[in-house]
Amino acid sequence: MTLDQIKYLLNEPNVTIGAHGHSHCDIRAMPDLKQKINYLKNDTKEMLEWFHTHLNHLPTAFCFPYNEDVKGMYASLLKPFGFTQFYGKERIDIESLYGTTFS
């Protein structure tokens, strides 16, 4: 989507523009807890800066990168930033719905 398309949707009724992280790094591969926490805090700050600068909007909904809350780390670290809704665990692969793979 383009920035103009997102701005348009932001002003539509019943539409929520949420966040998904800034860099989309897979923290599950990081070796230690301190590195994961520092990454999440810094990435969230960058993401919120982008939202503020480009959309003048601060999201409250967040979808976990890789559909993984990583033992509750995302939700617990993002709540102080104002996030109240979390998504991702409920994701269902389309292949499981139709019993086939797409290529």
Side-chain angles (χ1 to χ4, degrees):
M1 293 185 81
T2 67
L3 192 54
D4 286 336
Q5 291 169 325
I6 296 170
K7 287 178 181 179
Y8 173 81
L9 287 174
L10 190 61
N11 294 309
E12 289 296 299
N14 302 316
V15 173
T16 299
I17 302 296
H20 186 59
H22 188 72
S23 302
H24 300 92
C25 182
D26 190 350
I27 68 167
R28 296 173 297 182
M30 292 181 181
D32 63 65
L33 182 61
K34 185 176 180 180
Q35 186 179 9
K36 291 175 184 177
I37 291 170
N38 286 336
Y39 168 80
L40 287 176
K41 287 181 178 179
N42 291 330
D43 190 65
T44 301
K45 288 175 186 175
E46 283 185 67
M47 173 188 59
L48 292 175
E49 254 180 55
W50 185 93
F51 268 90
H52 178 70
T53 299
H54 297 283
L55 299 173
N56 196 30
H57 169 74
L58 293 177
T60 59
F62 187 86
C63 184
F64 307 122
Y66 305 97
N67 303 308
E68 176 74 42
D69 189 11
V70 188
K71 299 180 182 178
M73 287 182 62
Y74 273 101
S76 62
L77 288 171
L78 293 175
K79 284 180 183 176
F81 287 98
F83 289 94
T84 58
Q85 300 168 300
F86 298 94
Y87 303 95
K89 288 182 169 187
E90 70 284 345
R91 182 182 179 277
I92 300 171
D93 290 327
I94 192 167
E95 293 85 1
S96 68
L97 297 174
Y98 295 100
T100 184
T101 59
F102 299 92
S103 44

